[in-house]
Amino acid sequence: MEHGAKTLREIYSQPEVWRRCLHTLDRLDLEPLVGDKDPSTHEWLFVGCGTSYYLAQAAAATFTTLTAGTARAMPASEILLFPKLVFPSERTAIFPVLISRSGHTSEVLQVAELLRQRGIEFLSVTCDGNELTRLSMRTLKLPVTEESTVMTSSFTSMLVALQYIAARFAKQNEFVDALHSLPTALDELLPIYGPQVEQFAQRSFDDVAFLAQGALYPIASETALKIMESSSSYSQFFHTLEFRHGPKSIVSEKVLVGALLSETGYKEESAVLLEMKDLGGCTLAIANQLSPEVRRSADLAIELDLRVPELARLVVYLIWGQLLGSHLGLRKGLNPDAPRHLSRVVTLAG
Ligand code: F1P
């Protein structure tokens, strides 16, 4: 099989996969799954490893913004090593949500065991199921089959599902409608920007940094992780305005600075990107609507033009980093389907 064929197929399959997941969610009775865990009375604690941890952060940002409740995200290892950080008081009602594509990652399974021992009910969100399903009383298993080592459609589908649940709690039917409109919107964007990202990836970079703020920050984190996994290049992520506080000293013409620009913080965030261009960096701008100066100055400018609430756009911001990672890997002669040193699941011995 051609290098990267599996991963690229899975990236391009996302409109179809989202449609399938939304169809499943529309038919699902959420009441027995989460009905008694209203975020106004329970703190939702999203847990995962790697890509699933960034997904946990994006889900927590969505719950905090859409519902009146509080939500947090933690890597599974943190709960195992520092449980006091997570369970500060017996009085706080928490509802953990364990996220794992494979349902097979050791640290996540160990957290499931720990929660069972403490008698804390939790929800598992997964694509494959596996042991996690057997340890869970409540499971949301999505119809996503992903063969690739790196997570692409599984990330976006599980995030769409968790956003769907948050919107249901918040009684925001228009948000659910917005999620339903994403597959068609992405179908239209892929033929426009897919080839542009591929072309852009023919350049080589010494360093890569992705910037974002708010709910887009975990999406920038996952973008950087995709670049690392698929192209074995080191890539970092920062809150956009933090980039001025030191990191900008890496900027040169061989450094890619990518910004996922929010609508809320557009003025302040785009000023950082324009400044990095002035310092000689290569810039990539992704925004829902681009201002003329950013469109002019960026080396690659992607305009999503989605007519949905800002928070419902998260998954569409990620597609371009998924593609960029794969194409950078291919340009380096690597196989993004089989990233160096990585396996599909991290299983710890003992
Ligand atoms: C989590 C994960 C992936 C990563 C790698 C190893 O998997 O860390 O994010 O790309 O392949 O596993 P999972 O718990 O969601 O299956």
Side-chain angles (χ1 to χ4, degrees):
M1 194 186 264
E2 233 176 276
H3 280 185
K6 257 193 254 173
T7 311
L8 285 170
R9 191 182 59 230
E10 286 166 1
I11 294 170
Y12 275 92
S13 76
Q14 287 175 100
E16 215 30 65
V17 177
W18 297 349
R19 268 189 202 101
R20 200 161 61 231
C21 288
L22 286 162
H23 183 81
T24 302
L25 288 162
D26 284 342
R27 273 147 198 78
L28 188 74
D29 183 5
L30 288 175
E31 196 50 38
L33 208 58
V34 292
D36 56 337
K37 306 292 179 188
D38 196 296
S40 61
T41 53
H42 290 73
E43 181 190 41
W44 282 49
L45 172 66
F46 296 92
V47 181
C49 295
T51 289
S52 294
Y53 169 51
Y54 298 131
L55 163 47
Q57 290 182 5
T62 303
F63 268 71
T64 306
T65 310
L66 283 189
T67 74
T70 48
R72 278 192 293 164
M74 285 263 172
S77 55
E78 198 77 342
I79 300 179
L80 298 173
L81 300 178
F82 296 95
K84 284 207 169 116
L85 277 177
V86 184
F87 310 109
S89 133
E90 296 295 326
R91 289 189 307 272
T92 317
I94 62 164
F95 183 51
V97 180
L98 307 194
I99 304 168
S100 175
R101 169 182 67 176
S102 62
H104 192 61
T105 297
S106 299
E107 287 137 286
V108 176
L109 296 179
Q110 286 166 19
V111 169
E113 294 280 11
L114 181 87
L115 294 171
R116 283 173 69 102
Q117 279 160 21
R118 288 180 175 240
I120 299 172
E121 287 185 286
F122 60 93
L123 169 70
S124 295
V125 180
T126 182
C127 299
D128 300 353
N130 286 321
E131 294 98 311
L132 185 58
T133 310
R134 290 194 280 283
L135 286 168
S136 311
M137 311 281 280
R138 305 163 184 230
T139 301
L140 174 57
K141 186 171 179 299
L142 293 173
V144 181
T145 312
E146 204 167 59
E147 283 180 60
S148 199
T149 301
V150 298
M151 294 172 64
T152 56
S153 62
S154 56
F155 177 102
T156 53
S157 303
M158 289 193 278
L159 181 53
V160 164
L162 287 165
Q163 291 199 313
Y164 185 106
I165 294 173
R168 282 275 181 251
F169 269 121
K171 302 200 176 6
Q172 288 203 21
N173 289 339
E174 55 307 345
F175 197 95
V176 172
D177 294 343
L179 295 175
H180 274 283
S181 74
L182 297 181
T184 304
L186 183 57
D187 269 333
E188 286 164 16
L189 289 168
L190 275 168
I192 302 169
Y193 291 113
Q196 292 189 37
V197 173
E198 182 174 356
Q199 180 64 32
F200 184 71
Q202 301 318 306
R203 309 171 184 225
S204 73
F205 302 107
D206 291 344
D207 269 308
V208 178
F210 272 89
L211 317 179
Q213 300 254 167
L216 280 170
Y217 179 69
I219 305 298
S221 315
E222 170 60 8
T223 299
L225 183 65
K226 286 283 89 71
I227 308 283
M228 289 193 265
E229 291 182 325
S230 306
S231 72
S232 299
S233 324
Y234 189 59
S235 178
Q236 305 186 60
F237 45 93
F238 299 93
H239 285 92
T240 310
L241 274 67
E242 282 296 298
F243 199 65
R244 288 199 184 102
H245 297 269
K248 72 173 182 182
S249 69
I250 66 166
V251 172
S252 75
E253 74 280 2
K254 292 289 273 180
V255 172
L256 168 62
V257 181
L260 280 55
L261 302 166
S262 70
E263 188 176 326
T264 306
Y266 188 86
K267 191 165 152 278
E268 293 80 0
E269 294 168 21
S270 62
V272 175
L273 195 67
L274 292 167
E275 194 180 317
M276 298 314 135
K277 186 71 227 170
D278 285 345
L279 292 177
C282 178
T283 59
L284 160 57
I286 307 174
N288 202 49
Q289 305 286 342
L290 286 161
S291 52
E293 45 181 357
V294 172
R295 198 178 292 122
R296 252 193 327 270
S297 102
D299 294 274
L300 177 62
I302 297 178
E303 190 165 42
L304 305 178
D305 197 23
L306 302 168
R307 316 276 150 91
V308 299
E310 189 165 16
L311 202 54
R313 301 172 196 153
L314 297 188
V315 290
V316 185
Y317 271 84
L318 179 60
I319 309 300
W320 323 106
Q322 296 174 339
L323 280 173
L324 182 62
S326 286
H327 287 301
L328 285 173
L330 288 171
R331 205 227 349 104
K332 285 174 80 175
L334 301 169
N335 181 5
D337 288 345
R340 204 152 52 118
H341 311 316
L342 283 188
S343 54
R344 195 174 179 279
V345 183
V346 175
T347 313
L348 306 177

